[in-house]
Amino acid sequence: MSTAAAEIPVHPPAYAVRSRALPPVDTTSPLSDHELMIAVRDGELDAMGELFERHHGPLFGYLTKLTGNRTAAEDILQNVFQRMLKYRHTYRDEGSFTAWMYHLGRRCSSDYFRKANAAPLPVDPVDLEDRADEGRGVDEAAAANDDQALLRRALDRLDRDDREVLLLSRLQELSFAEVANILECSVGAARVRAHRALRALRDHYFQLQKESPT
Amino acid sequence: MNCTQFHDQMAALADGSLDEKAAPPLRAHLATCPSCQREFASLSRTLEKLDALPARPPSHRMRATLAGMIETEKLTQRHQAGWASSIRQAAARPPRRRSWLAPLLQVLGAAAVLAFGFFLGERNANQRQLAELRARVDTMGQLVEQSVLQKRTDGDRLETVLNATAVTSPKPDERLIDGLINTMAFDPSVNVRLNALTGLYAHADQEVVRAGVLACLPREGNPLVQVSMIDFLVAAHAREAGPVLRKLAADDKADTDVRESARRASELL
């Protein structure tokens, strides 16, 4: 065997199982998220496709704002759905699917931040592109983009915990009680933390506006 | 209500989480205090901008990734069900009645087997093990070929390829490798092609495997598989891939990710 072969990874690479369109889901009688997750738990794994369609958009938006890194957000999103499949038996009959999903999202993003702190990730050129042209066309929304860039920078300046509680509190799918449950604190504490984070964001944002040359 | 009391609850009023009964005194103060109006407006504007912050959807590959995860989980489920069924059957089997003669026969049988083992010697035993392994690999190679030729469902073909990649043999089997290369080249499912490629990692030291991947790279239509093939060639240190990679990197019609991967790979090699 050559020396080249000795360096070949023993485990299959991460892309090993991918592709294919998602299997069709019967939409004649739409089921609730909870019913779909119960079905997944009971072995009807294709129902996860419908849950993905319903929730990946808001979850991805949340993760992108939380990490400030689109590639990292995709990785975390993938991990969340992978854990949902893997740990489906832990989903409880009386559970709230959305709260469970964001709870897993929190775990996965904590893993990401732990690794990122250990070895800071290089800036992804894709993120720079996103930040430059996200939203409307460049010509008609240059000012809006600048403003959004400022707000994103202000978000980045928040402590991670503050950013997390603020972003969770702005999700329409979650009540403050559910946010508190996800953060494992009381409703009052979650509310106080979210409001403190909002004020901090406002201060950073206006400070950046003052520092901005235009 | 004074300004300090208003400030304490201003954020709750702005984000709508305030109890409706507590809102009227706050609104009354707000209507009369210009300083608090400015504070409240800045907080509300920050919230509006935060909510309006656009987020583009994730890459279209996420769907494909999830589909792959679901398929893999289904396979695991099927395998686990198979094991569970075997264990249940074994547990449900009624115990056989044993006579006083049985232990004696067992001892005599064991002695006979021991004597026979000594007679055959260690060399024969090793040859027998190798022959069994060889037969298993041959069968797997046939299965890979048949699976592709018979055009069974994606899941079935995927299962066959996954089983084939799980076979470890001291000596690589040509038929198995050919089956995996053919599958990687011609299978209609991206998922199956990717797994066949993964199976070929174990045989990447063979020239025929590297040549097969290199030949398939330009004609592969899926960017995900192409990037994976490029990763393979880098991992296998396939220096002969340089010209093909450079050509791919310069191809305007190729996917951006593929071109970028090809460029990086050609530099690495």
Side-chain angles (χ1 to χ4, degrees), chain A residues 173-190:
Chain A
E173 304 102 305
L174 295 177
S175 65
F176 251 115
E178 285 173 323
V179 171
N181 196 22
I182 291 166
L183 298 175
E184 293 165 348
C185 65
S186 69
V187 178

Side-chain angles (χ1 to χ4, degrees), chain A residues 17-19 74 130 147 170, chain B residues 49 51 56 59 72 191:
Chain A
V17 182
R18 285 186 181 173
S19 88
E74 284 194 353
D130 286 347
D147 203 39
R170 297 311 296 165
Chain B
K49 286 181 184 296
D51 290 344
R56 287 199 330 205
S59 155
T72 309
N191 203 13

Side-chain angles (χ1 to χ4, degrees), chain B residues 65-224:
Chain B
T65 306
L66 179 73
M69 289 192 297
I70 292 173
E71 288 300 323
T72 309
E73 203 58 37
K74 279 183 188 171
L75 282 178
T76 311
Q77 206 176 30
R78 277 213 290 273
H79 282 297
Q80 283 171 348
W83 278 108
S85 162
S86 308
I87 291 165
R88 271 197 301 276
Q89 281 174 7
R93 209 172 287 145
R96 279 178 289 180
R97 289 180 64 189
R98 296 165 69 91
S99 72
W100 62 272
L101 204 58
L104 182 64
L105 285 174
Q106 278 175 353
V107 170
L108 287 174
V113 168
L114 203 61
F116 190 61
F118 276 117
F119 178 72
L120 285 176
E122 195 182 338
R123 189 163 166 270
N124 279 353
N126 284 342
Q127 281 177 346
R128 203 166 48 245
Q129 283 172 355
L130 279 175
E132 281 171 9
L133 192 58
R134 181 85 192 165
R136 196 173 158 218
V137 172
D138 279 347
T139 312
M140 198 50 74
Q142 286 167 12
L143 276 173
V144 173
E145 281 179 2
Q146 285 168 8
S147 172
V148 176
L149 291 174
Q150 290 172 2
K151 296 188 176 170
R152 290 154 64 198
T153 65
D154 288 4
D156 289 342
R157 296 200 310 280
L158 178 64
E159 189 167 7
T160 310
V161 169
L162 284 174
N163 287 335
T165 55
V167 172
T168 51
S169 161
K171 192 182 169 193
D173 180 83
E174 280 179 21
R175 201 165 182 177
L176 179 68
I177 290 172
D178 287 351
L180 287 172
I181 292 175
N182 282 336
T183 307
M184 175 195 64
F186 301 116
D187 197 283
S189 160
V190 172
N191 203 13
V192 178
R193 292 207 297 281
L194 274 174
N195 276 283
L197 179 64
T198 305
L200 287 170
Y201 263 82
H203 312 289
D205 57 321
Q206 296 208 22
E207 199 178 339
V208 65
V209 174
R210 294 198 300 271
V213 175
L214 190 56
C216 289
L217 177 59
R219 53 174 294 280
E220 171 61 49
N222 184 285
L224 185 59

Side-chain angles (χ1 to χ4, degrees), chain A residues 24-32 35-36 50 54:
Chain A
V25 171
D26 179 19
T27 52
T28 49
S29 55
L31 298 172
S32 69
E35 288 168 326
L36 282 169
E50 176 63 17
R54 287 185 192 179

Side-chain angles (χ1 to χ4, degrees), chain A residues 4-179:
Chain A
E7 293 172 30
I8 291 164
V10 178
H11 299 293
Y15 57 73
V17 182
R18 285 186 181 173
S19 88
R20 272 186 55 157
L22 289 173
V25 171
D26 179 19
T27 52
T28 49
S29 55
L31 298 172
S32 69
D33 293 341
H34 181 66
E35 288 168 326
L36 282 169
M37 192 58 223
I38 293 286
V40 172
R41 190 188 69 183
D42 294 345
E44 290 177 40
L45 302 184
D46 286 344
M48 185 56 82
E50 176 63 17
L51 287 169
F52 177 83
E53 291 304 331
R54 287 185 192 179
H55 293 283
H56 80 274
L59 177 60
F60 182 68
Y62 162 74
L63 293 170
T64 309
K65 289 173 190 169
L66 183 69
T67 60
N69 184 318
R70 193 177 151 79
T71 310
E74 284 194 353
D75 286 347
I76 299 170
L77 180 70
Q78 183 178 327
N79 286 341
V80 171
F81 279 90
Q82 197 167 28
R83 287 193 190 188
M84 277 188 209
L85 280 169
K86 195 174 173 187
Y87 302 118
R88 57 186 182 276
H89 57 277
T90 65
Y91 186 74
R92 288 179 297 180
D93 287 330
E94 70 276 16
S96 151
F97 171 75
T98 322
W100 187 62
M101 182 179 73
Y102 280 96
H103 174 74
L104 291 177
R106 185 174 188 233
R107 290 274 177 89
C108 293
S109 50
S110 293
D111 290 346
Y112 159 75
F113 283 116
R114 199 170 50 244
K115 285 175 191 164
N117 286 340
L121 294 175
V123 175
D124 189 340
V126 177
D127 295 328
L128 297 177
E129 279 174 33
D130 286 347
R131 291 185 179 214
D133 66 8
E134 217 163 48
R136 291 162 287 171
V138 174
D139 290 340
E140 67 180 28
N145 276 344
D146 287 345
D147 203 39
Q148 286 162 8
L150 281 184
L151 191 65
R152 283 198 171 99
R153 282 175 62 196
L155 260 179
D156 288 345
R157 285 188 178 187
L158 289 182
D159 287 345
R160 178 161 63 89
D161 290 346
D162 285 351
R163 198 159 62 231
E164 185 177 51
V165 68
L166 178 61
L167 292 172
L168 283 173
S169 73
R170 297 311 296 165
L171 288 166
Q172 289 186 343
E173 304 102 305
L174 295 177
S175 65
F176 251 115
E178 285 173 323
V179 171

